[in-house]
Amino acid sequence: MTEQDVKQMIIENMKKMGLGEEATSQIENNWGQMKAMGMTNIDFSSTTTYHFLKSGWANDTASESKTKMMGMNLNVNSNTKILSRNWK
């Protein structure tokens, strides 16, 4: 992504979260300062492990994702297991 793409994505997501024009204009006006502080980078990594039954159907998954954006670290871990099924 280009710098302009990242800037636009951040602004659009802020608008979707309900932040007003004042907050988004601050991003626009202070972009250079944010860039100098390293707050304009977005790093994302994710790993998902799937376990399948002998029949080929998924039995469970384990997922871990890490996002670093605007000075914030967001870690999301999820485990999903099928407890009931109607196939053989």
Side-chain angles (χ1 to χ4, degrees), residues 41-53:
N41 298 331
I42 299 173
D43 295 319
F44 177 79
S45 64
S46 178
T47 304
T48 302
T49 304
Y50 298 89
H51 295 111
F52 296 92
L53 299 171

Side-chain angles (χ1 to χ4, degrees), residues 8-69:
Q8 201 58 33
M9 183 188 73
I10 290 171
I11 291 170
E12 287 175 11
N13 283 331
M14 290 177 75
K15 287 179 182 178
K16 287 179 187 177
M17 292 186 322
L19 296 173
E21 187 64 34
E22 184 178 315
T24 57
S25 66
Q26 285 183 7
I27 296 292
E28 296 248 5
N29 296 334
N30 298 317
W31 186 258
Q33 183 179 3
M34 290 173 58
K35 183 177 179 182
M37 295 170 60
M39 294 179 68
T40 60
N41 298 331
I42 299 173
D43 295 319
F44 177 79
S45 64
S46 178
T47 304
T48 302
T49 304
Y50 298 89
H51 295 111
F52 296 92
L53 299 171
K54 290 181 184 179
S55 63
W57 288 94
N59 186 49
D60 62 87
T61 64
S63 179
E64 176 184 10
S65 66
K66 296 179 180 181
T67 305
K68 294 180 183 179
M69 181 175 87

